[in-house]
Amino acid sequence: MDTTTTVAANKRRKLTHHQQQPPLIPNLPDHVAHLCLSYVHPSTLYSVSHSWRRLIYTPTFPPFLSLYTLFSSNDAVFHFYNYDPISSTWHSLPPPPLNQLIVRHPSFISRTLPVQSISVCGQLILLAATANNFFPALSHPLIFNPLSKTWAFGPPFAAPRRWCAAGALGSSVYIASGIGSHFSSDVARSVEKWNLKNSPTTTTAAERRNDGDGGSSCDAGSIHQKLDLEKKRMATALRARRSHGGGGWRWEKLKGLKDGRFSREAIDAVGWRGKLCMVNVKGDAAKEGVVYDVEEDTWQNMSGGMVAGWRGPAAAMDEEILYVVDESKGALRKYNHETDTWQDVMESENLIGAQQIVAAGGRVCVVCGGRRGGIVVVDVISESPKMWMVETPPGLEAVAVHVLPRMSI
């Protein structure tokens, strides 16, 4: 054998050696080891070995929850970041496909112009913002999928808007009221719904579990099976879209509001027990509250006890337990629908000036304003609620936070 052949053979052996990864668990096939390790908490896997650390970020491993945060900076630019609670690190998201948004304007010196976003079906959705000349910045919703790390467009708005009420219930997105390029009483009273479950590019977490996506097997056969299932699901959704003139890929008009009083601010419509709850102004000022019954397509006045205690940002855990932060007192409370009262969970000066909250995975995450700023996390399922701060990237101010599956590598 000549020297050239020997060198080439050695290179092939070295390359093959580097390409071969050690087994996840010795003497077990990787797909079996994958199944066993999926029952171990990711923080434990992260600290054991590099191969297990890589595993928890792969698309086929059950994703853990993480924070997705919208930040503003001193140069009046918005930034999107993901906080990984396992490694305690921040990662920037790919920039969304839109023009630069207006964050501040001389007419509103002490105010940040809102960007309204929600989370539904394991995805982050941008719904409203302000562009140049105070026009609505978005003609379509923008959808970020954490597992594929990509942005996509949703169905076009019948009336692009800003300073509206935005929320989610189940797999549906709701927008209500707001202002377009100019004030319109029709837009200010309008309510629309978009069901992501019927959308051809969207798959719910439940459907993924039922189809085995994100499950235990990682062999070639199971991967091809998942691809085939995804293709069939896409084809079925596209056929339904064609046969129904768009199907779920459109906004559906609902019963409108009685007036335009909910177009004054960017408002969170909170999904709770089959209803959407919202108030017309933020903070602890006197306010009006309404409740939309999804099944009946009717609006009702919010109960006296609920609206009286709605003294700051609110959110619902699994659409069952309603929480609010009294931003002037720094008190986190939960709602008792049987007595129509709010019960104290904890009180802390760190919660004073709360701007926005989200509740998921047994935690309430709070975007704090005032001199402290930052993000506070409260564990509300332990016997004695625990609270800690999440250190944010330097030079950035948190505007909104969501809890979604971690991004894949």
Side-chain angles (χ1 to χ4, degrees):
M1 183 180 294
D2 59 25
T3 305
T4 303
T5 305
T6 304
V7 171
N10 289 335
K11 284 184 177 180
R12 283 196 297 271
R13 280 195 295 271
K14 289 180 180 179
L15 182 61
T16 302
H17 175 74
H18 285 300
Q19 288 177 337
Q20 290 177 344
Q21 298 291 337
L24 293 171
I25 299 177
N27 302 320
L28 275 182
D30 272 0
H31 70 279
V32 176
H34 190 294
L35 176 61
C36 297
L37 295 175
S38 66
Y39 291 95
V40 181
H41 195 278
S43 61
T44 301
L45 300 178
Y46 184 88
S47 61
V48 172
S49 69
H50 289 291
S51 61
W52 289 8
R53 182 177 298 183
R54 286 192 300 270
L55 175 66
I56 65 175
Y57 296 101
T58 58
T60 55
F61 195 83
F64 54 85
L65 296 178
S66 61
L67 294 180
Y68 289 77
T69 306
L70 173 62
F71 290 100
S72 66
S73 58
N74 293 331
D75 56 358
V77 174
F78 279 112
H79 305 267
F80 296 87
Y81 276 80
N82 165 242
Y83 178 74
D84 180 347
I86 304 300
S87 63
S88 299
T89 54
W90 288 95
H91 304 279
S92 61
L93 271 61
L98 49 73
N99 295 325
Q100 185 171 341
L101 310 174
I102 292 180
V103 181
R104 295 181 182 87
H105 190 272
S107 300
F108 300 90
I109 297 176
S110 61
R111 181 173 181 175
T112 299
L113 297 177
V115 173
Q116 293 180 258
S117 56
I118 63 168
S119 57
V120 60
C121 292
Q123 299 179 85
L124 172 65
I125 301 180
L126 304 185
L127 290 171
T130 303
N132 293 328
N133 301 322
F134 287 97
F135 280 20
L138 300 176
S139 59
H140 300 65
L142 274 173
I143 312 159
F144 180 75
N145 186 325
L147 301 183
S148 63
K149 294 193 291 188
T150 57
W151 291 92
F153 289 98
F157 296 115
R161 62 192 78 196
R162 56 199 174 90
W163 293 346
C164 58
L169 190 64
S171 60
S172 293
V173 178
Y174 295 82
I175 55 173
S177 195
I179 300 174
S181 56
H182 60 277
F183 178 81
S184 164
S185 60
D186 290 338
V187 172
R189 292 185 290 107
S190 67
V191 182
E192 297 183 3
K193 178 182 83 168
W194 165 39
N195 191 337
L196 271 75
K197 192 173 182 181
N198 298 330
S199 299
T201 60
T202 305
T203 305
T204 65
E207 289 170 331
R208 290 183 180 276
R209 286 194 297 270
N210 291 338
D211 289 342
D213 192 13
S216 60
S217 182
C218 58
D219 61 358
S222 66
I223 292 173
H224 286 302
Q225 184 180 18
K226 291 170 190 172
L227 291 173
D228 289 340
L229 286 168
E230 187 65 29
K231 289 177 182 177
K232 290 177 182 178
R233 179 167 49 233
M234 184 75 77
T236 301
L238 287 171
R239 284 195 297 271
R241 180 182 174 185
R242 295 190 190 103
S243 62
H244 293 89
W249 199 246
R250 61 181 175 82
W251 289 90
E252 175 188 349
K253 292 196 100 178
L254 304 175
K255 184 177 178 63
L257 295 159
K258 65 179 182 180
D259 53 44
R261 298 182 186 180
F262 289 82
S263 61
R264 300 171 182 171
E265 292 199 61
I267 297 169
D268 292 326
V270 181
W272 173 73
R273 295 175 176 259
K275 297 178 174 60
L276 282 173
C277 309
M278 61 187 192
V279 295
N280 65 330
V281 293
K282 294 183 175 182
D284 58 357
K287 55 179 65 71
E288 297 179 33
V290 292
V291 176
Y292 174 72
D293 189 309
V294 173
E295 291 294 329
E296 301 295 331
D297 190 26
T298 57
W299 290 94
Q300 302 170 351
N301 290 329
M302 188 178 287
S303 66
M306 179 182 281
V307 71
W310 202 297
R311 298 179 174 274
M317 182 85 69
D318 301 324
E319 299 181 355
E320 284 293 325
I321 305 175
L322 187 62
Y323 291 92
V324 71
V325 174
D326 185 328
E327 61 182 73
S328 62
K329 295 183 178 180
L332 174 64
R333 302 187 177 107
K334 66 179 179 179
Y335 181 66
N336 185 328
H337 67 280
E338 295 179 351
T339 60
D340 192 25
T341 58
W342 294 87
Q343 301 169 345
D344 286 346
V345 175
M346 72 173 304
E347 188 170 328
S348 170
E349 64 177 11
N350 290 325
L351 300 178
I352 294 176
Q355 300 295 309
Q356 184 250 351
I357 71 171
V358 64
R363 311 283 194 269
V364 173
C365 305
V366 184
V367 175
C368 297
R371 59 185 180 86
R372 291 182 176 273
I375 299 171
V376 172
V377 180
V378 182
D379 181 349
V380 293
I381 59 174
S382 58
E383 280 190 32
S384 178
K386 302 174 184 177
M387 183 183 70
W388 61 92
M389 296 284 297
V390 175
E391 186 175 345
T392 56
L396 298 179
E397 179 184 350
V399 176
V401 66
H402 299 280
V403 177
L404 292 165
R406 57 93 180 106
M407 291 193 294
S408 298
I409 57 175

